[in-house]
Amino acid sequence: MTLHQLTVPEIKNAKLSPGQSEASLNDGGGLFVRIRQRANGTMQKTFVFRLGNLRHTIGEADQRSLGGEGSITLQHARTEAMRLRPAKKGDNPIASKRDAERLEAEERARRQAEEEAQQQRKLAEIEAALAAECLEAAAMTMDQLFKAWDANHGAMLDPHWRAVRQSHWRCHISTVVGNCKVHRTDKQAMLLHYDKLVRLGKEETARRVLALLKQVISWGIERQYVADDHPITRLVLPKKQRMVKADQRPDNFSIDDYLAARGDDAVGSDLEDALAGRALQFAELITLFQEKLPRSTQAQTGTCLMRLMLSTGIRSSEAVRLRWQWINLERKLMIIPAGSMKKRKMHHVHLSDFSIQQLEAMLAIRTGDFVFPAPRKENDHVLRTNVGNDISSRQFYRSTDETDEQFGARLAKRMTCRRSRKNFDLYNLPGGKWTLYDLRRTVATRLEELGIERDMVGRVLAHARPDAKTTGRYARHNHWERRCQALDLLGEALMACEAGRMPTIQADNIVQLRRMG
């Protein structure tokens, strides 16, 4: 194989013969110069390297253009041709280089596609983050959810209980999760707050707070404000912790001290001690009617309201809003409309002679449509909180495990309240502290003591009947006569208490147990 057959002058002076359109000058070893005539008549001379003999026809893959005469010199063309010559027989460096270039181009295209895909993913992530931020900003907070609940469901509640729920939310829920988005609120924070309230001795309030939270979330699910699988829907109220008082601890308890503090009427009330609130005994009612109320500086509105609650069993929220247009004294009948009842169901109440005495006393000082008018505000009813506060502010008891110094410090603090200085212990009763709501509990307990069966007591108190969705839909006897007899019997017992004597207890409902074995 002869190499370097051409010289620079030969290449420069080479021309096409007449009639030729293309010619080749061989330099040897596969390097040649291709001569072609351009359209403008000039010669185009290009260095080309190819494998094989010039006399054989070869494919385009076996040859490679190295550049034109003006862009590359003969020496550079020979150097490039030497690089492209195969190291051994059968190799095709040109094809290999083209394959490598193809693979490199494909790799560049792949990397470019990946970069473009990565950029698209980043843009999608940015757009998703922006959309999430927009949704997060627009999502409802817990305070906003409660505001919607209060404006709709809360507006249907009794004003007192609505105010209680607003207070519970404001003091115990809003401070913990109020600013949290609804979908991000979990139950752990509220359970920790629950434990804190229990440690402070406010377990009942803690349970009501959790119940309110569940109620608001359930309402939000019904209105599509909250997802169906919200974690608070699975919140289970913790079991009540039974706290043992100091005087009930085994080392401290004394039966003599217990009876001396509560009286003989407390015997048999072991089950009642485990329940919230308490019921006044007939002996305590005698003390209340004979001594406490006559000496009280409380307005006649409050004392008559308490007597009416004791003789009818109606709730304090229903009693304070009574109107004269709901009462017919001649027929001894009072009908409380559904809009004023807790369960939104009308309630018919028989008026005993004792009840009528209280209503006639209020009729003598009637100033408007309300039976128990507000003392200062015109055309409005007395506030239940005022009556309740009058009762609680006139009670002050000494704890069994309290020292003289502790009692004196607590009494001195009580004396700083102007409302509590006068008659601060006037309403003290042997059974301990009592509230306005305990009067309704007293009615239920004393009716059973008078021989009235529990189902009838529930009807008198307008409790939801357990068979309302089954048998109650078919058996609709109202037992009105029996309800009237029960309230008349209660009225007679209250008249006896007001006269200073114990009422006669009927024993018709007592069944003699037979000895077995």
Side-chain angles (χ1 to χ4, degrees):
M1 180 176 64
T2 305
L3 302 177
H4 304 163
Q5 301 177 19
L6 295 176
T7 62
V8 174
E10 287 178 349
I11 297 173
K12 186 174 182 181
N13 297 326
K15 295 182 180 180
L16 293 173
S17 302
Q20 279 187 319
S21 60
E22 183 177 329
S24 298
L25 300 176
N26 187 18
D27 188 52
L31 179 63
F32 67 93
V33 178
R34 179 186 290 132
I35 304 173
R36 288 177 179 174
Q37 187 173 3
R38 294 189 181 97
N40 57 6
T42 60
M43 297 298 148
Q44 179 185 14
K45 299 173 183 179
T46 308
F47 290 99
V48 178
F49 175 80
R50 68 184 176 186
L51 295 175
N53 197 305
L54 288 174
R55 292 172 299 187
H56 295 87
T57 302
I58 59 178
E60 289 294 331
D62 296 325
Q63 66 181 11
R64 183 181 180 88
S65 175
L66 304 180
E69 180 187 8
S71 62
I72 188 173
T73 65
L74 177 60
Q75 183 62 36
H76 289 163
R78 287 171 177 171
T79 303
E80 183 66 17
M82 185 177 293
R83 188 179 65 80
L84 294 175
R85 288 188 184 98
K88 59 183 180 179
K89 189 175 180 179
D91 289 346
N92 190 341
I94 295 177
S96 299
K97 186 173 183 180
R98 286 184 176 176
D99 289 342
E101 291 176 348
R102 178 178 56 79
L103 293 174
E104 184 179 355
E106 290 177 354
E107 181 65 20
R108 283 197 304 270
R110 186 186 64 80
R111 287 197 300 267
Q112 184 177 0
E114 287 183 355
E115 291 176 357
E116 291 178 354
Q118 187 175 4
Q119 290 179 355
Q120 291 295 331
R121 286 195 297 270
K122 287 183 178 180
L123 289 174
E125 290 175 359
I126 293 173
E127 291 177 355
L130 291 175
E133 289 179 2
C134 293
L135 289 175
E136 185 74 11
M140 182 178 286
T141 65
M142 292 297 292
D143 279 344
Q144 291 171 337
L145 178 63
F146 176 76
K147 185 177 181 181
W149 176 89
D150 183 61
N152 293 275
H153 181 78
M156 301 171 60
L157 300 176
D158 176 82
H160 170 76
W161 291 116
R162 182 184 185 186
V164 169
R165 284 160 175 77
Q166 290 172 345
S167 176
H168 283 166
W169 188 278
R170 182 176 61 254
C171 298
H172 301 291
I173 301 180
S174 180
T175 56
V176 180
V177 296
N179 292 328
C180 295
K181 302 296 183 181
V182 173
H183 64 279
R184 292 187 179 275
T185 304
D186 59 12
K187 53 187 178 181
Q188 183 179 15
M190 288 306 305
L191 287 174
L192 292 175
H193 186 69
Y194 172 91
D195 294 336
K196 177 182 177 181
L197 290 177
V198 171
R199 289 194 301 270
L200 295 174
K202 301 179 180 179
E203 183 179 5
E204 191 62 32
T205 298
R207 297 182 68 82
R208 290 184 179 181
V209 167
L210 289 187
L212 173 61
L213 179 65
K214 290 192 65 175
Q215 183 181 12
V216 172
I217 289 294
S218 299
W219 180 87
I221 292 174
E222 294 174 354
R223 304 308 190 278
Q224 298 298 306
Y225 292 139
V226 183
D228 294 341
D229 58 347
H230 198 281
I232 292 181
T233 58
R234 300 185 295 274
L235 175 63
V236 178
L237 292 179
K239 293 182 179 179
K240 284 188 175 182
Q241 298 184 14
R242 180 66 174 161
M243 305 299 293
V244 178
K245 298 180 181 180
D247 61 344
Q248 288 288 327
R249 294 171 185 166
D251 296 337
N252 300 339
F253 183 75
S254 167
I255 186 173
D256 295 331
D257 294 341
Y258 178 83
L259 295 177
R262 292 169 174 78
D264 293 339
D265 291 335
V267 176
S269 62
D270 48 341
L271 297 178
E272 186 177 342
D273 287 343
L275 303 176
R278 77 182 192 91
L280 277 63
Q281 302 287 337
F282 275 127
E284 292 180 302
L285 292 178
I286 293 175
T287 303
L288 182 66
F289 291 154
Q290 284 281 301
E291 302 177 14
K292 307 297 183 177
L293 292 183
R295 291 169 43 205
S296 174
T297 58
Q298 189 173 7
Q300 184 180 5
T301 302
T303 57
C304 286
L305 185 140
M306 285 190 285
R307 287 186 174 94
L308 185 67
M309 286 181 60
L310 283 169
S311 60
T312 59
I314 61 176
R315 298 177 178 87
S316 55
S317 59
E318 300 157 1
V320 295
R321 291 182 293 178
L322 283 178
R323 299 172 184 264
W324 287 112
Q325 60 193 30
W326 303 349
I327 299 171
N328 189 322
L329 294 178
E330 294 180 358
R331 300 194 58 176
K332 295 187 174 182
L333 179 63
M334 175 171 64
I335 299 179
I336 304 177
S340 189
M341 291 292 295
K342 180 180 179 180
K343 294 297 184 180
R344 296 297 185 261
K345 292 183 179 180
M346 182 186 299
H347 182 40
H348 293 213
V349 182
H350 170 70
L351 298 175
S352 64
D353 293 339
F354 185 85
S355 301
I356 291 179
Q357 288 180 5
Q358 316 313 316
L359 293 173
E360 288 177 343
M362 295 308 302
L363 184 61
I365 58 172
R366 176 177 178 176
T367 59
D369 189 41
F370 288 103
V371 175
F372 301 104
R376 295 182 179 85
K377 194 172 182 180
E378 187 176 353
N379 197 25
D380 199 1
H381 61 78
V382 66
L383 296 178
R384 177 177 55 177
T385 53
N386 287 349
V387 181
N389 289 339
D390 283 336
I391 294 174
S392 60
S393 62
R394 288 175 170 83
Q395 295 181 74
F396 194 81
Y397 300 89
R398 180 166 186 165
S399 302
T400 55
D401 56 347
E402 192 174 32
T403 64
D404 294 339
E405 292 76 10
Q406 292 173 335
F407 177 77
R410 199 160 54 89
L411 181 59
K413 183 178 179 181
R414 181 66 173 271
M415 291 297 102
T416 59
C417 179
R418 179 184 59 83
R419 187 173 190 174
S420 303
R421 292 174 191 163
K422 189 174 183 180
N423 297 330
F424 68 94
D425 59 351
L426 175 63
Y427 283 159
N428 280 18
L429 292 176
K433 184 178 179 180
W434 59 282
T435 65
L436 183 65
Y437 193 78
D438 287 333
L439 300 184
R440 179 171 164 86
R441 193 173 290 111
T442 300
V443 172
T445 307
R446 301 287 76 85
L447 279 174
E448 285 197 343
E449 185 179 358
L450 291 171
I452 305 301
E453 59 274 17
R454 179 158 295 188
D455 177 68
M456 192 55 55
V457 173
R459 291 176 180 271
V460 170
L461 299 182
H463 282 163
R465 294 171 58 190
D467 64 345
K469 294 184 179 180
T470 51
T471 309
R473 292 184 174 181
Y474 301 93
R476 300 188 177 184
H477 185 57
N478 54 31
H479 300 275
W480 175 247
E481 292 78 7
R482 183 64 176 147
R483 288 159 60 184
C484 294
Q485 293 173 3
L487 289 174
D488 282 337
L489 187 62
L490 178 62
E492 293 173 1
L494 294 175
M495 282 186 172
C497 291
E498 197 158 40
R501 63 178 186 275
M502 286 291 292
T504 303
I505 306 300
Q506 301 292 336
D508 297 341
N509 63 331
I510 298 177
V511 178
Q512 183 68 37
L513 298 178
R514 292 185 299 171
R515 184 181 299 274
M516 303 298 293

